């Protein structure tokens, strides 16, 4: 397998402009002759489907939700980054580029990150034109706030529901194209296979989640925009439906899977309360603008109400350890710091797995009305879940699984190692390295959908003769359909006693304990023993009620858990092979005397991309060397 990133020549600030000019074009009359399938309708998928249809391509868009409006992008809270420098505080395209590379602990491809920073400003203009109600200052200009890993205010926001408002913008653009007949929408359809002919992606197989019918769709190119695989941990901030099935199907058909061990633990989540929970709730990183994080200095104070612990007995540990960034230290750094104080026995709450996020200083300084204006819906959500009023008592937070920086390997054009298969947003690996900075997920999703794929997919399609699309009765199509049917039949025929959730929960415990915030060789090797055992039991003792020819959420869950049981194993294998600490990948054997991540740039300044070699065969690890010509490798410091 060859990993050719196809990075354009020239200065980094000229690469994208030059590449756009060098790409072959499809003339407007010919665009109508090409069909593109877009799997996923969140920010990346919705933006891509709308943009490609606007250009004239025939587009079919698929989502497993009942409406594109329910894509998980809706759950993003805090904001979206852009280098507008409205605050006149020293921001620039280069600084956004630099912060993103540094924030990812120097494990991202420079060219892709710089392009992301370049197009970030276009995203804001696009969304304002769509009517996205960004927060505004008194004079009417768009407001900004700070996020972790940056010393400038570059995050545009709409209270604590930025993802929802941005998705409405993309959704209305998509619906307009649906209304014009340029996009055919397939809600409640789950992609279960990629159709590959002579090594080239030519379509997908989907299951109608209402009727159970399995159908195939052929096209000239396929775009996957299906999000991440964070639910491999079972307890995560992701919606319960989020899964890795689409990218895993692609991996098994030849798409390399890059950096699967790079997963993000978000520091600002409502703590776990017990085994009854099925998911966790994120509290936006934006809260760290005005909230101060602390724990008691003494273990014996941890059981007291926060109000009874005087100021001098509080440890504002992020402000103490990282004075330059304070409470806005990056997510990986902040998460490990929270784990450390809890491991010392200074955690708060019933489980002692929590730290305080305290707004009392901000309320005294700005007034409760101003805090409500900025974060009101988040405070309301917290109170509904915990029955505690955060205006009067500090929130309690603890790290939880959130985002996956790893994903399918893509080149500069966002094409995977399967020609014709493009991967957008969180489903690819390209922009965030080993740690994503807050408010950059929405930026990447919209950048890929609105401003990258419309150019690069045209360059690919220009090399395909119109009218050469395969037919629906092609043997490859029938084989892919049969593979889906056989897999469903296999799941339904097990007839065991345990639910998919049982196995998912068992996997999640292993992943969190052995491949979570802290990882070590012994734990990862143990996980690689336990996961195959769970998988073997899954295929022997799974029980799915009902049939495959109807609505069957247990069947849907079983298919996703089957894939998670394989994804988790690859994550542990990747973490074991990456013998360094970087970003969200913290190998306990490699840390500084102060407990910070210790990289090994000589041996691991590369992307690890795994190639599937068949059932029961060990995958093969390939590498793409990362060159740092514009941001020099340095020890990441936020002190």
């Amino acid at each position: 397998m060859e990993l050719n990133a196809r990075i354009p020549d020239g200065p980094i600030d000229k690469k994208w402009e030059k590449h756009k000019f060098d790409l072959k074009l499809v003339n407007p009359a010919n665009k109508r002759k090409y069909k593109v399938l877009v799997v996923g309708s969140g920010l990346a998928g919705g933006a891509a489907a709308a943009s490609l249809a606007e250009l004239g391509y025939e587009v079919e868009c698929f989502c497993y939700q009942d409406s594109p409006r329910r894509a998980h992008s809706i759950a993003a809270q805090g904001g979206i980054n852009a280098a507008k420098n409205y605050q006149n505080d020293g921001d620039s395209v280069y600084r956004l580029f630099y912060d993103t590379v540094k924030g990812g602990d120097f494990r991202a491809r420079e060219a892709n990150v710089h392009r992301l920073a370049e197009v970030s400003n276009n995203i804001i203009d696009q969304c304002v034109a769509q009517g996205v109600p960004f927060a505004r200052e008194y004079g009417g200009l768009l407001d900004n706030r700070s996020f972790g890993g940056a010393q400038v205010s570059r995050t545009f926001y709409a209270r604590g529901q930025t993802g929802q408002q941005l998705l409405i913008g993309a959704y209305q653009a998509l619906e307009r194209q649906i209304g014009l007949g340029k996009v055919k929408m397939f809600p409640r359809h789950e992609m279960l296979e990629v159709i590959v002919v002579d090594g080239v992606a030519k379509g997908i197989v989907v299951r109608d989640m209402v009727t159970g019918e399995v159908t195939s769709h052929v096209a000239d190119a396929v775009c996957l925009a299906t999000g991440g695989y964070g639910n491999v941990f079972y307890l995560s901030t992701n919606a319960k439906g989020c899964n890795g099935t689409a990218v895993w199907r692609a991996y098994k058909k030849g798409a390399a899977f890059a950096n699967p061990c790079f997963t993000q633990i978000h520091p600002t989540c409502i703590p776990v309360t017990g085994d009854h929970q099925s998911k966790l709730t994120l509290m936006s990183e934006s809260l760290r603008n005005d909230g101060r994080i602390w724990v008691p200095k003494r273990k014996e104070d941890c059981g007291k109400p926060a109000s009874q612990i005087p100021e001098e007995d509080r440890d504002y540990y992020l402000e103490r350890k990282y004075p330059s960034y304070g409470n806005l230290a990056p997510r990986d750094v902040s998460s490990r710091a929270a784990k450390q104080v809890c491991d010392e026995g200074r955690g708060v709450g019933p489980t002692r797995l929590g730290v305080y996020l305290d707004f009392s200083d901000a309320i005294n300084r700005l007034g409760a009305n101003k805090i409500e204006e900025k974060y009101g819906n988040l405070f309301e959500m917290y109170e509904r879940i915990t029955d505690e009023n955060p205006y009067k008592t500090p929130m309690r937070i603890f790290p939880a699984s959130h985002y996956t920086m790893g994903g399918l390997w893509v080149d500069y054009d966002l094409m995977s190692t399967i020609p014709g298969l493009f991967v957008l947003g969180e489903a690819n690996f390209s922009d965030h390295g080993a740690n994503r900075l807050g408010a950059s997920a929405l930026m990447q999703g919209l950048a890929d959908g609105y401003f990258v794929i419309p150019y690069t997919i045209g360059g690919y399609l220009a090399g395909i003769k119109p009218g050469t699309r395969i037919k629906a009765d092609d043997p490859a199509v029938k084989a892919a359909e049969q593979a889906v049917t056989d897999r469903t039949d296999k799941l339904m025929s097990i007839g065991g006693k345990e639910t998919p959730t049982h196995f998912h929960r068992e996997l999640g415990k292993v992943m969190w304990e052995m491949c979570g915030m802290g990882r070590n060789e012994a734990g990862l090797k143990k996980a690689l023993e336990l996961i195959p055992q769970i998988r073997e039991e899954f295929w022997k003792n799974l029980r799915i009620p009902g049939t495959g020819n109807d609505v069957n959420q247990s069947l849907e869950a079983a298919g996703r858990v089957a894939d998670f049981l394989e994804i988790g194993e690859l994550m542990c294998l990747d973490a074991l092979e990456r013998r360094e600490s970087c970003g969200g990948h913290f190998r306990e054997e490699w840390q500084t005397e102060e407990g910070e991540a210790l990289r090994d740039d000589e041996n691991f300044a590369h992307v690890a991309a795994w190639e599937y070699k068949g059932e029961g065969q060990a995958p093969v690890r390939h590498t793409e060397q990362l060159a740092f010509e514009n941001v020099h490798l340095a020890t990441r410091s936020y002190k």
Side-chain angles (χ1 to χ4, degrees), residues 143-159:
D143 198 7
N144 294 108
R145 57 189 177 198
S146 300
F147 255 63
Q151 292 179 306
V152 297
S153 294
R154 63 161 68 102
T155 304
F156 295 78
Y157 64 98
R159 276 186 112 189

Side-chain angles (χ1 to χ4, degrees), residues 39-40 224-230 238 242-244 247 404 406-407 423-428:
V39 187
L224 295 186
T226 53
Y229 49 94
N238 292 274
C242 294
N243 64 86
V247 294
T404 54
V423 191
L424 287 62
E426 189 180 358
N428 74 35

Side-chain angles (χ1 to χ4, degrees), residues 25-43:
L25 299 176
V26 179
N27 81 58
N30 278 345
K31 283 181 175 133
R32 296 191 297 272
K33 301 175 183 178
Y34 293 101
K35 180 190 284 188
V36 180
L37 307 182
V38 179
V39 187
S41 60
L43 288 181

Side-chain angles (χ1 to χ4, degrees), residues 16-34:
W16 178 229
E17 202 63 37
K18 177 181 183 298
H19 189 61
K20 286 192 291 184
F21 182 78
D22 290 343
L23 284 168
K24 294 180 180 179
L25 299 176
V26 179
N27 81 58
N30 278 345
K31 283 181 175 133
R32 296 191 297 272
K33 301 175 183 178
Y34 293 101

Side-chain angles (χ1 to χ4, degrees), residues 357-423:
L357 179 59
D358 194 340
F359 289 85
S360 56
D361 282 3
I363 290 172
N364 291 335
R365 184 178 73 254
L366 302 171
N369 289 342
K370 188 65 176 178
I371 297 301
E372 182 180 7
E373 179 185 315
K374 296 167 75 174
Y375 312 113
N377 64 306
L378 297 171
F379 276 46
E380 179 185 351
M381 181 173 71
Y382 181 87
E383 184 170 8
R384 286 186 178 185
I385 292 171
T386 65
D387 199 29
E388 296 175 1
N389 184 345
Y391 293 100
K392 296 180 179 179
T393 186
M395 291 182 180
R396 284 178 290 108
I397 57 171
F398 192 70
S401 168
H402 179 57
Y403 187 90
T404 54
M405 286 76 66
L408 293 184
W409 183 92
V410 291
D411 63 14
Y412 190 72
D413 288 343
L414 303 185
M415 188 160 70
S416 70
T417 50
I418 301 176
L421 181 69
F422 295 81
V423 191

Side-chain angles (χ1 to χ4, degrees), residues 116 119-120 123 442-454:
L116 176 65
V119 304
S120 67
I123 296 169
L442 305 184
M443 177 173 64
Q444 185 205 352
L446 291 178
D448 288 356
Y450 282 138
F451 298 110
V452 179
I453 199 65

